[in-house]
Amino acid sequence: MLNQENVAQLKQSLRGKLIQPNDPDYDTCRKVYNGMIDKKPALIAKCANVTDVITAVNFARENNLLTAIRSGGHNGGGLGICNDGIVIDLSMMKGIHVEPEAQTAWVEAGCTLGDVDHATHGFGLATPSGIFSTTGIGGITLGGGLGHLSRHLGLAIDNVLEANMVLADGSYVKANAKKNEDLFWAIRGGGGNFGVVTSFLFKLHPVSTVYAGPMLWELDESEEILRWYQDLIKSAPDELNGFFAFLTVPPFPPFPEHLHLRKMCGVVWCYAGDLDKAEKVFEPIRSFKKPALDFVGPMPVPVLNSLFDALMPPGLNWYWKADFVNEINDEAIDIHVKYGAEMPTPLSTMHLYPINGVASRPGNNDTPWSYRGATWAMVIAGIDPDPANNDKISKWAKDYWQALHPYSAGGAYVNFMMEEGEDRVKATYGDNYERLAAIKAKSDPETLFRVNQNIKPKLIDVVAWSSSKSAVSEGQNTGN
Ligand SMILES: Cc1cc2nc3c(=O)[nH]c(=O)nc-3n(C[C@H](O)[C@H](O)[C@H](O)COP(=O)(O)OP(=O)(O)OC[C@H]3O[C@@H](n4cnc5c(N)ncnc54)[C@H](O)[C@@H]3O)c2cc1C
């Protein structure tokens, strides 16, 4: 039972708001993006600044409360919320400061990707991240961050220069390549295990308008398209990104009526090179097989990164399963073709996001992201507005994944996982898990932050770990 005097004191100390179950805003504030998640925290601390975060972390620790950290609330497994405990909600912290000459931006952890794109695009700059503008910068960055610019500019974690964070003991620290190096290593892929990140310093790049958009082909051409796409993306220049998808065409404009509600396959392209050369780059793509729909053309980065927002509003029910993939062999192609045709609802989908190119250049131990050699991060997402279909969409996603998993690289992108247990987390981090566990043991020994893809604290000799890996990382991932 919470001591109400302590709660009243917490409420008074915050510049933001403290939301409790009897508050009129409670149901709105506890909602997350995935409609399947229905959790009821005792307290939601909507923090207005770093001091509020320190106060909330101290309160959580002193009152032994289960603690969730929320940035955009987009996590598929609902890890930005918890039952009974406290949510440290960062959504009011939306400051962004762009330094155009240095090509950097300080971004507070409550920003969405749309906030970041908006602020940087004004200067003709961008940082690579995800493909929906509504996703929170906090969760996506801490787990990795992949999207339309990954092959050209790397993952979001490859563009983090610095972060400010509040640790479990309430201390406020800076982590970068020279200060708290272990923490800096851990937060670039290790998720929300190590503390509450209050702001990130991102590297920006002069990318403003790209040549991009979806191309769709008939479902019965998917085997041929998938084979061609695989060869193409494995040898494509870094400037060209394209993720493969199975989807159902939405029944409204701008999609032509004759395609409405048709199951199809497609590739969403993004060419970030010289725009004058774009048509030439797409000549062989367009001539391979005439697409049934071709929406590819010049597009500002923020438009591309919000193109699908309206198709996937908050509150839909999601169940997703993921894996990293090196190669799509004949057996895997057959499985894709079968389950692509069996998508259970119009919003259900399967995406293969390429992570070769620039995203594959760092070594497997340079950050916690231990699948730098994989070609794709795959996600199979069963999605529908009607909770009555939850079993149907979950079953399709699980069956599809089960059939494909033997042909995968083993682990999965943490941000595309539900709560799937320790073995999946270990499979994902591989030999980086040990170092993450050691850093957790130092920064959060009592596991205050455990509503996440959890790393269990365990002390090891980090210096010895690093030198054992440095020899290995030489020569890693030289190809795609
Ligand atoms: C529609 C949709 C589209 C997506 N598209 C992409 C995509 O293109 N690319 C991609 O890489 N991923 C994508 N994702 C996955 C996304 O990266 C994860 O869902 C991510 O967890 C969302 O971050 P969030 O801050 O919105 O989530 P939240 O639910 O707020 O938080 C998720 C997790 O991150 C931790 N966390 C969040 N903020 C902080 C912080 N400041 N400090 C410490 N821990 C924190 C929390 O503990 C929690 O475990 C998508 C998800 C959805 C639902």
Side-chain angles (χ1 to χ4, degrees):
M1 275 297 272
L2 271 171
N3 176 320
Q4 286 311 309
E5 249 177 64
N6 292 349
V7 173
Q9 218 169 42
L10 172 67
K11 190 169 184 156
Q12 271 222 310
S13 331
L14 296 178
R15 273 290 163 104
K17 291 181 195 159
L18 186 69
I19 307 288
Q20 294 174 259
N22 57 0
D23 239 288
D25 282 353
Y26 178 74
D27 280 332
T28 311
C29 292
R30 73 183 180 86
K31 269 201 188 112
V32 289
Y33 183 84
N34 185 354
M36 236 188 239
I37 310 292
D38 179 23
K39 294 195 175 164
K40 295 183 174 159
L43 302 169
I44 302 172
K46 289 182 80 77
C47 300
N49 53 36
V50 175
T51 299
D52 278 1
V53 176
I54 294 171
T55 305
V57 166
N58 286 337
F59 184 89
R61 188 189 61 252
E62 284 158 11
N63 290 276
N64 204 15
L65 287 175
L66 185 64
T67 305
I69 310 168
R70 175 186 178 136
S71 169
H74 249 237
N75 189 268
L79 296 172
I81 188 110
C82 60
N83 276 322
D84 304 323
I86 184 167
V87 178
I88 298 178
D89 182 328
L90 306 165
S91 59
M92 289 172 74
M93 294 174 60
K94 283 195 174 285
I96 302 184
H97 180 78
V98 178
E99 280 293 347
E101 272 184 33
Q103 300 198 343
T104 59
W106 271 109
V107 175
E108 279 196 305
C111 290
T112 61
L113 302 189
D115 296 330
V116 179
D117 273 344
H118 170 80
T120 57
H121 187 68
F123 299 93
L125 300 168
T127 196
S129 202
I131 68 157
F132 278 76
S133 82
T134 47
T135 309
I137 195 73
I140 193 170
T141 304
L142 295 169
L146 52 86
H148 296 297
L149 295 169
S150 304
R151 293 192 81 255
H152 183 42
L153 301 172
L155 303 173
I157 48 173
D158 304 328
N159 290 275
V160 173
L161 301 172
E162 214 167 293
N164 291 318
M165 52 197 295
V166 177
L167 303 186
D169 64 3
S171 58
Y172 179 64
V173 300
K174 190 178 275 302
N176 59 33
K178 294 196 175 128
K179 216 170 177 184
N180 296 305
E181 298 98 304
D182 273 348
L183 272 177
F184 184 56
W185 180 85
I187 58 164
R188 287 176 297 149
N193 274 284
F194 305 95
V196 185
V197 173
T198 53
S199 56
F200 299 91
L201 180 66
F202 285 103
K203 186 171 168 37
L204 306 179
H205 305 264
V207 181
S208 182
T209 298
V210 287
Y211 192 85
M215 270 182 200
L216 303 185
W217 293 270
E218 301 296 342
L219 196 65
D220 60 13
E221 294 169 332
S222 58
E223 180 185 337
E224 197 183 351
I225 297 294
L226 202 42
R227 282 183 202 283
W228 161 78
Y229 162 77
Q230 164 158 240
D231 291 344
L232 186 141
I233 212 68
K234 282 189 170 184
S235 57
D238 293 346
E239 294 80 14
L240 182 64
N241 203 90
F243 76 83
F244 180 91
F246 284 117
L247 74 159
T248 305
V249 178
F252 41 75
F255 300 96
E257 225 169 284
H258 70 280
L259 295 182
H260 285 182
L261 292 174
R262 285 260 293 276
K263 286 179 183 170
M264 302 192 84
C265 69
V267 176
V268 182
W269 302 104
C270 173
Y271 173 70
D274 185 348
L275 280 181
D276 293 338
K277 296 187 180 144
E279 295 283 349
K280 197 108 196 106
V281 168
F282 276 82
E283 254 172 36
I285 293 176
R286 290 192 161 110
S287 64
F288 170 70
K289 196 166 239 335
K290 192 174 161 42
L293 183 139
D294 182 347
F295 274 165
V296 183
M299 202 177 282
V301 170
V303 173
L304 175 64
N305 282 341
S306 53
L307 211 56
F308 308 113
D309 287 2
L311 299 180
M312 303 283 190
L316 300 170
N317 303 290
W318 284 63
Y319 188 91
W320 60 14
K321 293 283 292 179
D323 263 326
F324 287 118
V325 179
N326 294 332
E327 181 78 30
I328 311 170
N329 63 15
D330 289 349
E331 288 85 351
I333 287 182
D334 288 348
I335 294 164
H336 277 299
V337 169
K338 169 177 157 36
Y339 283 93
E342 291 174 4
M343 283 182 291
T345 57
L347 291 172
S348 296
T349 187
M350 188 286 299
H351 292 174
L352 282 159
Y353 293 100
I355 45 170
N356 56 355
V358 172
S360 69
R361 305 276 153 75
N364 281 346
N365 305 119
D366 290 349
T367 65
W369 182 284
S370 63
Y371 281 87
R372 292 290 185 169
T375 313
W376 293 279
M378 178 194 70
V379 66
I380 301 164
I383 309 169
D384 197 64
D386 186 351
N389 288 328
N390 284 358
D391 286 347
K392 190 160 86 172
I393 58 174
S394 308
K395 184 174 176 346
W396 172 77
K398 284 179 190 164
D399 290 350
Y400 192 166
W401 179 85
Q402 199 74 45
L404 268 181
H405 184 62
Y407 306 102
S408 77
Y413 174 30
V414 282
N415 277 348
F416 287 163
M417 280 161 55
M418 304 298 279
E419 287 190 90
E420 299 177 25
E422 197 179 355
D423 287 350
R424 283 297 278 161
V425 177
K426 284 188 167 167
T428 289
Y429 289 117
D431 63 358
N432 286 326
Y433 188 90
E434 242 186 299
R435 183 172 178 192
L436 289 167
I439 299 167
K440 178 83 172 170
K442 278 195 183 163
S443 64
D444 182 18
E446 305 299 326
T447 57
L448 178 67
F449 305 118
R450 60 181 177 279
V451 183
N452 43 42
Q453 301 297 350
N454 195 238
I455 311 278
K456 302 267 185 303
K458 186 175 171 209
L459 282 170
I460 59 155
D461 182 342
V462 171
V463 176
W465 182 95
S466 296
S467 45
S468 78
K469 299 300 170 202
S470 56
V472 180
S473 74
E474 307 266 320
Q476 243 176 12
N477 304 335
T478 42
N480 274 341

